[in-house]
Amino acid sequence: MRYGASNTAEAVNSAFLFIFITCVALLALITCLMIAFVIKYHHSRHTQVVNIKGNAALEVIWTVIPTILVLIMFYYGVAGFRVMRVGPANAFQVHVTGRMWSWLFTYKNGIQSDTLKIPVDTTIKTVISSQDVLHSFFIPAFRIKQDAVPGRENHLYFKAYRVGSYDVMCAEFCGLRHAYMLSKVEVMPKQAFFDWYAKNKPKELPKVKPGASRTAQLAARGAQLVQLKGCTTCHSADGSKKVGPSFKGLYGSMVTVATRGKTRTVTADDAYLRRSILEPGADVVKGHLNIMPSQKGLLTDEEAESLIAHIAGLKGGKAEQ
Amino acid sequence: MTAAVIAAAPREPSYLAYRGRYSGILGWIFSLDHKRIGVMYLIAQAVFFLVGASLGVTMRLQLMRPDNHLVQPQVYNALFTLHGVIMIFLFVIPSLSASFGNFFLPILIGAKDVSFPKLNLMSWYLFMIGAVVALMSLFTGNGPPDTGWTFYVPYSIRTSTNVVMGLTGVFIIGFSSILTGLNFITTVHRLRAPGMSWFRMPLFVWALYATAWIQVLATPILGITLALVVVERLAGVGIFDPAKGGDPILYQHLFWIYSHPAVYIMILPAMGAITEIIPTFSHRTIFGYKAIAMSSMAIALLGSLVWGHHMFVSGQSDVADITFSLLTFLVAIPSAVKVFNWTATLYKGSIVLEAPMLYALSFIFLFSIGGLTGLMQGALAVDVHLHDTAFIVGHFHYVMFGGTGFGFFAALHYWFPKMFGRSYSDKVARLAWGILFVGFNTLYFPFLILGWLGMPRRYYTYSFPQFASLEMLSTVGSWILVTGILLMVGNFLHAALKGARAEDNPWGGVTLDWKIPSPPPLENFEQIPVITQGPYDGFEGQAPR
Ligand SMILES: [Cu+2]
Ligand SMILES: [Cu+2]
């Protein structure tokens, strides 16, 4: 019988159940003894104290029995843990990337998605990493969690038992919008999943051709990239205020920034935008925190160009900063 | 009758009345007397506790309803950071050790003071300077730190808030802790009264002694680690930040190598105080003296080897995970042994349920919940689910507040008449205890369920309807708890100003503290006592009240 939304949930639930029952029994024992003694030996009833200094046999018993109990708990914990850490070589692999403050799921065939779609009854191997600070990939329904650490890959296996949609959260504090770093796991029937998987294989992006339409093509590409790269969690395109300055009206405007602690005013030209994207710490826009994750190494040259073209296209009306 | 005795016997002036080179406030802040220093710690800690508690209540208001926006997210992040830093470093780490330890350690071993009184006063100054520096981070730079009290990298290196100031404060406080530990170790080794062998020391002293070793051995690691973060922030050296080639997991190891043993710095002295209170109010000797003394030392030793249980999902190796899990389960055993021995001490006693005893018994209950939920987190698979959720928050509040906090209140009710020579109203004290106990459980038990349901910690707000009713219940609990705290504080303030004179031995205790006047004279003992029996042997043949 399966009791839980996944094999990991099943393992955690059964370990928890054993420990929980043992703990409740121990707590009840101590509490009842305490209350019974307090009543029975209350000074209004009992004045003839007996100064018992100890009892070696009792000391041994109440050292040995808890030791055995905790060793069983330890065993249960390790057994359940193996389910998450050891999986078959043919497990279906998905890369999970944490970044301030969104999740990105990347599949072997190149699909990228902001929700995690997976087939039911299939062992999934998640390879978890981060682009900036620590995050923690947490699916409460599956009882699993693994930190996303920049510069390293952590692994976690699980197999979902039921089709449905489950919450994904970030469990490691990661800054201002930590509580909003949410997503969903969509567990799909196998057939439906593999249909989606085959259909959404990203097409080769058309080569950008030189000529008059080049900027337009780049800007169109940039409009997709701001979604995919997670820029929109912090930057709006319509002048509304988010964590970062809005892109609207940014291009060509005068921006007040702090460069190594000194305040100066610069024009937001191509070079400035490129620097802002690749080394956000170099010029920090006044009134904002220096928390933008650097995109160095995460963007190709053409992608950077596309983003700049996209931002340049969002002229008109000075944005509120 | 007692009043007549007090009037009749000419006494040395008490440490409160004594006039030395300075008078007034200077007589306190330049005093080398361990009792005055203990009281100064007590006052400072009480103030910090109230500040920390108000921050906590504000957090509860923010979380009361889903999608609440009572405070800004950045403010909330600063709130939980400051709540953590203040409660941990300014209240529970000095805990009973700095205040009651300073006051009673020399008295309980029959000494006139600690070994190094000047160092003792310096420790207090370091503590206060550290506290001021840490609190200054609120008003200077780019606003208060928002990293949580754990200061995890790389966030703590990236955030533009005033982390350096906060860290510097904690660094200075660390030295206060180290020097106090050193002082206590030396005092216990060198200043015991004639005849007081190791196994004739009261168990509070054993607990302080075990704690002192952890303070001396573990705190420097915290100091170095925090200093490295400062160096990394200011000089850009890549130690912990992977973007500069550093290792963030290394930071976590270093941080918890101190901060797990620190949990025992916080709880051991409270356990020690409970061990004094239970025999006194059962009017019988302690059950299993040696088992309790040795379990303190075992906790100090084993507790230093389990830090990795904070990192089961960090990406440390599976072998490390399994080893740390096993060691974690083993460290539970000495704590269990203590609980069993305390319970057995009630057996065939003659129990009086005055306020200190109520706090002590509820300590056992709450600490047991804290310890048992710790077992759940010690199991690898279960911790993967529970880590970084509200369950952890519930667990450590049961240990830190239900344990250390209630232990602190127990000690305060127990020793208040001795320290200040005044009695408080027992009726009000018991009422406050009842409110506190109900409020505490209403506040923190929902955390355990919320965590199991998947509510992460350090969330500014949440939209999930499944959390709403428990979060609300918890907030209501915080109001009840605050009522209890205020009533308790009021009771003490009233007693300090207007309370009736306390007897020298109001509870019928038998340790040395109850054999000297309340409040004690400057040098504690007119003559250094000669010890001829165990600390709890005096109950022999004594008729309970
Ligand atoms: Cu996150
Ligand atoms: Cu720990």
Side-chain angles (χ1 to χ4, degrees), chain B residues 90 125-135 166 168-170 172-173:
Chain B
L90 302 181
Y125 274 102
L126 286 173
F127 177 70
M128 293 309 289
I129 293 171
V132 168
V133 172
L135 292 179
T168 311
V170 172
I172 298 173
I173 294 166

Side-chain angles (χ1 to χ4, degrees), chain B residues 3 65 236 256 301 327 337 515 541:
Chain B
R65 282 180 290 125
W256 289 113
L301 195 74
L327 289 167
V337 166
K515 297 186 175 147

Side-chain angles (χ1 to χ4, degrees), chain A residues 11-13 15-16 19-20 22-24 26-27 29-31 33-35 37-44 46-55 58-59 62-63 66-67 70-71 73-81 84-86 100-101 131-134 136 138-152 154 156 167-182 184 288-291 293-294, chain B residues 69 73-74 77 80 146-148 152-155 158-161 241-242 248-249 252 282-289 291 312-318 321-322 325-326 329-330 332-333 336-337 339-341 343-344 346-353 361 364-365 368-369 372-373 375-376 379-389 391 451-461 464 466-467 536-537 539-542 544-545:
Chain A
V12 172
N13 289 353
F16 181 75
I19 301 175
F20 181 73
T22 319
C23 287
V24 170
L26 284 172
L27 183 67
L29 177 78
I30 290 292
T31 313
L33 274 178
M34 252 175 5
I35 294 175
F37 287 166
V38 166
I39 294 173
K40 185 148 183 233
Y41 302 118
H42 192 261
H43 72 111
S44 58
H46 191 258
T47 48
Q48 217 47 53
V49 301
V50 185
N51 278 304
I52 308 165
K53 289 200 165 178
N55 182 318
L58 266 181
E59 297 286 353
W62 67 43
T63 309
T67 308
V70 297
L71 287 178
M73 294 178 190
F74 165 70
Y75 168 78
Y76 263 101
V78 174
F81 191 58
M84 305 164 182
R85 287 297 166 91
V86 186
M100 286 167 156
W101 293 284
Q131 284 182 6
D132 36 52
V133 297
L134 299 177
S136 194
F138 180 27
I139 310 177
F142 297 168
R143 314 266 187 265
I144 48 171
K145 173 181 301 115
Q146 181 68 52
D147 282 3
V149 183
R152 65 176 289 140
N154 288 332
L156 197 62
D167 292 315
V168 173
M169 305 180 184
C170 174
E172 181 67 66
F173 178 70
C174 56
L176 197 64
R177 292 184 65 81
H178 168 54
Y180 298 95
M181 191 169 156
L182 308 169
K184 292 273 183 195
H288 290 274
L289 298 174
N290 176 20
I291 49 166
S294 161
Chain B
H69 297 284
Q74 188 63 30
N77 296 344
F80 71 68
D146 62 343
T147 58
Y152 266 21
V153 291
Y155 189 74
R158 305 269 178 93
T159 178
S160 54
T161 55
D241 187 349
I249 311 249
Q252 298 180 21
S282 307
H283 291 108
R284 54 152 288 177
T285 189
I286 190 84
F287 189 98
Y289 174 93
F312 287 159
V313 301
S314 68
Q316 76 181 352
S317 79
D318 291 358
D321 281 346
I322 292 171
S325 170
L326 180 63
F329 277 113
L330 296 183
I333 294 164
V337 166
V339 169
F340 293 133
N341 279 297
T343 312
L346 301 173
Y347 181 67
K348 299 210 166 158
S350 181
I351 297 165
V352 182
L353 282 183
L361 294 177
I364 299 180
F365 176 76
S368 295
I369 296 184
L372 293 168
T373 48
L375 291 181
M376 299 176 188
L380 278 177
V382 183
D383 184 65
V384 168
H385 176 53
L386 296 178
H387 181 75
D388 267 338
T389 65
F391 191 93
W452 174 256
L453 294 179
M455 173 75 193
R457 67 192 283 200
R458 296 176 175 172
Y459 261 33
Y460 160 65
T461 188
F464 307 96
Q466 70 265 33
F467 302 141
Y536 310 105
D537 287 345
F539 292 111
E540 229 94 53
Q542 179 186 327
R545 304 184 301 156

Side-chain angles (χ1 to χ4, degrees), chain B residues 23 40 49 54 111 140 146 157 187 198 222 253 286 296 356 399 448:
Chain B
S23 60
M40 290 198 293
F49 171 78
S54 4
T140 53
D146 62 343
I157 287 168
T187 308
W198 283 91
L222 179 76
H253 276 294
I286 190 84
S296 287
V399 178
L448 299 174

Side-chain angles (χ1 to χ4, degrees), chain B residues 434-458:
Chain B
I435 299 173
L436 260 168
F437 185 75
V438 171
F440 179 90
N441 286 294
T442 319
L443 169 54
Y444 294 115
F445 202 83
F447 274 75
L448 299 174
I449 309 171
L450 280 166
W452 174 256
L453 294 179
M455 173 75 193
R457 67 192 283 200
R458 296 176 175 172

